[in-house]
Amino acid sequence: MAPAADIDLDAPFKEDIILEVRSGRMKTMPGLTIQSGIDKTKCEGVVTVNHLGIDGDEHDPTFHGGRDKAVHGYCSSHYPQWQTEYPEASSRFVPGGFGENLVTAHMNERNVCIGDVISVGDPETGLLLQVSLPRQPCFKLNHRFRLKNFAPQTYTLSRTGWYYRVLRPGPLEAGMPIALHERRHPKWTIERLQEYLHRNQDDAEMNEELSRIEEMGDEARGAFVKRVAKAKAAATRKERAATEAAEEWKNYKIIEKKRQTDRIASFILEAEKPDPDATSTLLGAHARLKLPSGLVRSYSVVSGTANRFELGIALEEPSRGGSAYMHQVAAEGTILPISSQLTSGVPISSASSTHTFIAGGIGITAFLSMVSMFKKVHLNTTLHYAVRSDSDIPFRDTLDSLSQPAPNKDGKIEDSSVRVVLYHKDRGERMDLDKIFGELGWNGHAYVCGPSRLMDAALVASKKAGLTEDDVHFEAFGADTTGDPFEVEVLNRDSKMLKVDAEETLLEVLRREFGTAQVASSCEVGNCGTCKVALKKGRVEHRGSALPEGEKDDALLSCVSRGLGKISIHI
């Protein structure tokens, strides 16, 4: 049945008709190596619905399926709107396009509420459903409709569809009536819920209220619960910061030191006083260590949580003092102060269909946690890794496990989403960066970390391939912060004039003058953007990768960038 374009989407919903029932098996998505259950076909005749959905309907259980996502519903009247807005993809906007199980004409995100109890067929003995979650769109919608950044539009415009849990199993067939049986939260339509789930995430009162709706599925309710906890923790930190001038440091003990290669060692550090509210998993994060000499050094977190994590550190040639201490002096049992600001510096391009990582040497530490997570959630991923020799490969067990297929959670499909390609310098093997970037593919994203020669070559190759800063993230693990001296006027601190010498950074000078708490920082190599300050006047030699081109006239990274002559800033 064709979708109706003249349905009043704002009209109240009491009863509708099931236009189509759809189900499908897991299939490999066109152009990718991952499987999805999004491609569903019409069911003819009566099907049975149990507590996990339509009999025979398959899902990737990483993000779909389960009791809270047993059945997906979508309003067919959205399709004419999509066709008008995206004429280049109009042929793909037809019922079933969103992978829905139930196609209806009138029910939509404006008149369906979270917790609604819905009867299908006989209201006393037939199928009974409950609205549990809004659909959370992912990159697969971009890939299916061949539209970059399309997925966020679905929740911006509140046309995502929604999930049901099954309260009472029963028969299902196209043509059956579907009716509102009970409404428990009349003010929380799917559209209004999405306002606070996606567009207005900082409303503390609404987050608190939504965290208490028990009928909401764990995926969405859990997000609100976390926000409430995060807000309370932030309030506590703010109160503490008001009375403390210095950055907060916590003591960690080295509980394991292991030689990975002749020049790379790994360290597992554990907090002496674990934080019960700490981040569960760290992805692309940096840890700032304060050494006994007073040096502060940042290293990428290979894996772990804020309470217990692993670092990989290469002995620099020559060392500036940090890596030499960690390799030659630090031992199991050594206590080190570490900044509580464990900040992620590698943004995940969740809307991308494919992910390509390019790493050299110790640069692999910035990406291992991300690639491991991508494997778990079945994202199409390739890791290109350049090493000196086979004996110079750190974290070999992790790398080997990444490239090994593994059964999915339901044991039915094989995960072949990650491909690892090694390049050995001693064998004359070299990355063909032009080829890698040239084959990045539609809606692909690349991440690069390694020595300066690799980073520079990758920048040239990416531009040659026509890629922009939205397509590639460069993650430096070291930075040259020295240069010509310059002066800085801090306008919002009584226009105080400061001088930054050749061997120091603007960040160091600002902290020395105004206190550590006045300028936050994390990676201190220009990756994360935490130390960004406003540029009001003057020219700057920009360094680091965290500042987009569009912000370089109005901001700078105080940890690496340098003024030319005299500049004026706000902190």
Side-chain angles (χ1 to χ4, degrees), residues 73-370:
Y74 199 74
C75 179
S76 67
S77 299
H78 290 330
Y79 285 114
Q81 295 174 285
W82 290 127
Q83 291 169 357
T84 299
E85 293 160 357
Y86 294 97
E88 69 274 28
S90 60
S91 64
R92 294 186 282 276
F93 285 113
V94 293
F98 277 71
E100 63 267 33
N101 298 114
L102 302 186
V103 182
T104 55
H106 180 56
M107 299 174 70
N108 70 90
E109 296 79 1
R110 295 173 178 83
N111 58 30
V112 170
C113 296
I114 199 73
D116 279 358
V117 178
I118 305 292
S119 64
V120 182
D122 189 319
E124 300 302 323
T125 62
L127 179 63
L128 200 64
L129 307 173
Q130 183 174 48
V131 178
S132 53
L133 287 166
R135 164 80 172 268
Q136 295 274 54
C138 70
F139 78 93
K140 292 178 183 177
L141 289 179
N142 300 339
H143 200 80
R144 184 164 174 80
F145 293 113
R146 303 294 291 173
L147 295 169
K148 282 191 174 183
N149 299 316
F150 170 70
Q153 290 300 309
T154 65
Y155 61 74
T156 298
L157 299 171
S158 289
R159 299 182 206 159
T160 60
W162 55 92
Y163 286 108
Y164 298 101
R165 64 172 62 92
V166 178
L167 299 182
R168 183 173 65 213
L172 175 64
E173 184 179 15
M176 279 185 168
I178 182 170
L180 179 63
H181 186 80
E182 180 184 356
R183 174 154 286 174
R184 301 180 180 182
H185 301 282
K187 73 175 185 177
W188 284 113
T189 63
I190 295 296
E191 180 180 54
R192 186 164 184 249
L193 171 59
Q194 288 174 322
E195 170 68 23
Y196 296 100
L197 186 61
H198 297 293
R199 300 185 288 271
N200 182 9
Q201 299 183 356
D202 298 324
D203 191 310
E205 183 179 352
M206 293 298 100
N207 286 338
E208 184 80 40
E209 181 174 341
L210 287 161
S211 72
R212 296 194 295 266
I213 297 180
E214 295 182 358
E215 293 85 353
M216 192 187 310
D218 288 342
E219 181 180 83
R221 188 184 180 196
F224 294 114
V225 169
K226 287 180 181 178
R227 287 179 199 170
V228 171
K230 184 177 180 181
K232 291 179 179 177
T236 300
R237 288 194 299 270
K238 187 175 181 180
E239 291 175 4
R240 188 185 302 129
T243 60
E244 297 178 0
E247 181 177 6
E248 183 180 356
W249 297 82
K250 294 175 59 176
N251 283 339
Y252 284 72
K253 179 189 290 187
I254 298 176
I255 62 170
E256 180 182 297
K257 179 179 180 179
K258 181 179 179 181
R259 183 156 296 283
Q260 295 284 334
T261 72
D262 287 344
R263 65 188 191 91
I264 298 174
S266 61
F267 302 81
I268 296 179
L269 296 103
E270 193 168 73
E272 287 195 323
K273 296 180 179 179
D275 180 357
D277 298 320
T279 306
S280 57
T281 304
L282 298 172
L283 298 175
H286 311 94
R288 297 180 65 237
L289 282 62
K290 184 183 289 184
L291 307 181
S293 65
L295 287 173
V296 175
R297 292 289 182 262
S298 294
Y299 299 106
S300 295
V301 175
V302 176
S303 63
T305 70
N307 286 327
R308 188 180 189 274
F309 55 84
E310 184 175 23
L311 304 177
I313 301 175
L315 181 61
E316 296 180 19
E317 302 169 355
S319 172
R320 296 179 296 162
S323 65
Y325 173 84
M326 294 300 293
H327 274 257
Q328 299 165 10
V329 180
E332 294 179 1
T334 297
I335 305 295
L336 291 172
I338 295 180
S339 173
S340 60
Q341 300 169 354
L342 292 168
T343 305
S344 177
V346 186
I348 296 176
S349 180
S350 58
S352 297
S353 300
T354 61
H355 303 263
T356 298
F357 291 85
I358 299 170
I362 195 63
I364 191 66
T365 59
F367 297 149
L368 276 178
S369 61
M370 292 178 63

Side-chain angles (χ1 to χ4, degrees), residues 395-409:
F395 306 102
R396 190 62 185 258
D397 291 345
T398 301
L399 285 168
D400 288 344
S401 69
L402 288 175
S403 57
Q404 294 298 317
N408 202 340
K409 289 182 181 178

